[in-house]
């Protein structure tokens, strides 16, 4: 069983920054691709970003490209999402997920999920 735990959410003003962290249990973190998704009230869960096992390949949703950066530290079993120039429309619960296969924009490809962390951006 893989456990996934997000942290770092909070309330921030528009234009501000937050860094989300995602800790994953187990000794095989370096074999997982990782992804971030988000879900706003009344909306479907949407892809935000993904990163390959080594960190050498990344994917971003168009809506966050140039503002968000995904990274990972395999020695710490942790993946990060640096979010800059935040907008009110970034308000959502952000979820971290494990993908055994590789980076993907589809939520269906992910095997384990965290409980989510709330990000609220005020205007």
């Amino acid at each position: 069983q893989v456990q996934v735990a997000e942290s770092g959410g909070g309330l921030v003003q528009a234009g501000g920054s937050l860094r989300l962290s995602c800790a994953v249990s187990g000794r095989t973190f370096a074999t997982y691709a990782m992804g971030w998704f988000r879900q706003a009230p009344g909306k479907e869960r949407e892809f935000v970003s993904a990163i390959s096992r080594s960190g050498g390949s990344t994917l971003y949703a168009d809506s966050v490209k140039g503002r968000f950066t995904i990274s990972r530290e395999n020695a710490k079993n942790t993946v990060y999402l640096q979010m800059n120039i935040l907008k009110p429309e970034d308000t959502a619960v952000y979820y971290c997920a494990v993908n055994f296969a590789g980076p993907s924009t589809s939520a269906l490809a992910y095997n384990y999920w965290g409980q989510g962390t709330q990000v609220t951006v005020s205007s």
Side-chain angles (χ1 to χ4, degrees), residues 5-9 19-23 36 78-81 96 117:
E6 306 93 338
S7 61
R19 188 176 81 156
L20 304 183
S21 298
C22 172
W36 287 97
T78 301
V79 62
Y80 305 99
L81 186 67
C96 177
T117 186

Side-chain angles (χ1 to χ4, degrees), residues 9-18 67 83 85-92 94 118-123:
L11 173 64
V12 64
Q13 288 188 332
S17 298
L18 279 175
R67 299 189 297 122
M83 306 186 295
I85 318 174
L86 282 161
K87 304 175 181 180
E89 51 263 44
D90 293 319
T91 295
Y94 283 71
Q118 176 70 47
V119 172
T120 303
V121 184
S122 63
S123 57

Side-chain angles (χ1 to χ4, degrees), residues 4-9 19-24 33-39 45-51 59-61 64 68-72 78-83 93-98 104-107 110 113-114 116-119:
V4 181
E6 306 93 338
S7 61
R19 188 176 81 156
L20 304 183
S21 298
C22 172
V24 179
M34 298 296 299
W36 287 97
F37 290 75
R38 66 187 182 187
Q39 188 166 18
R45 191 169 298 190
E46 65 173 0
F47 170 76
V48 175
S49 184
I51 190 166
L59 300 171
Y60 294 96
V64 307
F68 290 11
T69 302
I70 191 171
S71 61
R72 64 189 296 160
T78 301
V79 62
Y80 305 99
L81 186 67
Q82 178 67 44
M83 306 186 295
V93 177
Y94 283 71
Y95 297 91
C96 177
V98 171
S104 174
T105 62
S106 171
Y110 289 78
W113 294 79
T117 186
Q118 176 70 47
V119 172

